[in-house]
Amino acid sequence: MSLSRLRDRATGAERLGLFVLAGHQLRFHKISEDGSGKCDAFKTQDPNDSVIGALFEISNSEKKDLDIVEGLGCGYEEKTVYVHNDDGVTVEAIIYYATKIDPGLKPYSWYLNHVLIGAREIKVPEQYLLNIEGVDSAEDPDKNRDAAQRILHG
């Protein structure tokens, strides 16, 4: 959700606003190459579940590069979904979803920080923010990676 993190990967990305994906839950169980848990919009099919996040517009040329960085085909795949905003506008969107998961994983604290900053930027509902803040995280043993990720936000 963090615009600065995404622009580090796709410089022309434009945030279109806050949107909701119904029938899914935000989970941090995607197996990452670094051993931590990354985000997933996990499909539950329960209409009471939803993922609240930012919708971005990304050029086709930058999407190809983003696919590589995000690991498309290596633990993430993509699918087309429909998301809606508070104004009732429904939009077709592409999301990455995890194909390699481990419910026992924790995100690194710097990664959770990216998610929290993005959630605050788009002003997710307070309870949703509290749920993200309540996610248990781990410290990254690679202090250089930790520092490099945190500097993205100043």
Side-chain angles (χ1 to χ4, degrees):
M1 286 187 271
S2 163
L3 184 58
S4 57
R5 176 133 199 262
L6 183 57
R7 283 199 175 147
D8 186 54
R9 298 164 170 226
T11 58
E14 292 296 327
R15 187 169 41 216
L16 303 178
L18 183 145
F19 283 77
V20 176
L21 174 62
H24 291 71
Q25 287 181 342
L26 179 64
R27 296 190 184 174
F28 291 83
H29 62 190
K30 189 261 183 191
I31 299 171
S32 175
E33 289 182 6
D34 65 17
S36 69
K38 299 294 192 265
C39 281
D40 180 29
F42 183 75
K43 187 172 185 176
T44 65
Q45 298 188 32
D46 183 334
N48 297 312
D49 291 335
S50 61
V51 173
I52 303 171
L55 179 65
F56 294 93
E57 186 170 12
I58 300 170
S59 70
N60 288 334
S61 61
E62 288 190 319
K63 170 76 167 67
K64 291 175 188 175
D65 293 336
L66 186 61
D67 288 345
I68 294 167
V69 174
E70 289 293 335
L72 182 63
C74 301
Y76 276 132
E77 291 299 329
E78 64 181 21
K79 65 180 175 180
T80 301
V81 296
Y82 291 92
V83 296
H84 66 274
N85 65 13
D86 283 344
D87 295 329
V89 175
T90 298
V91 178
E92 185 177 274
I94 297 171
I95 65 166
Y96 296 111
Y97 68 95
T99 56
K100 296 179 181 178
I101 63 173
D102 178 348
L105 291 176
K106 295 179 184 179
Y108 286 141
S109 61
W110 59 258
Y111 182 84
L112 184 59
N113 187 55
H114 286 316
V115 177
L116 286 167
I117 286 171
R120 290 181 187 114
E121 286 174 356
I122 61 169
K123 298 177 176 56
V124 299
E126 186 65 25
Q127 186 57 55
Y128 197 78
L129 181 62
L130 289 171
N131 290 344
I132 298 170
E133 288 174 343
V135 171
D136 194 19
S137 64
E139 292 307 311
D140 189 342
D142 183 336
K143 299 303 177 196
N144 292 329
R145 178 175 50 216
D146 184 285
Q149 290 298 316
R150 291 181 191 280
I151 202 155
L152 290 174
H153 304 291

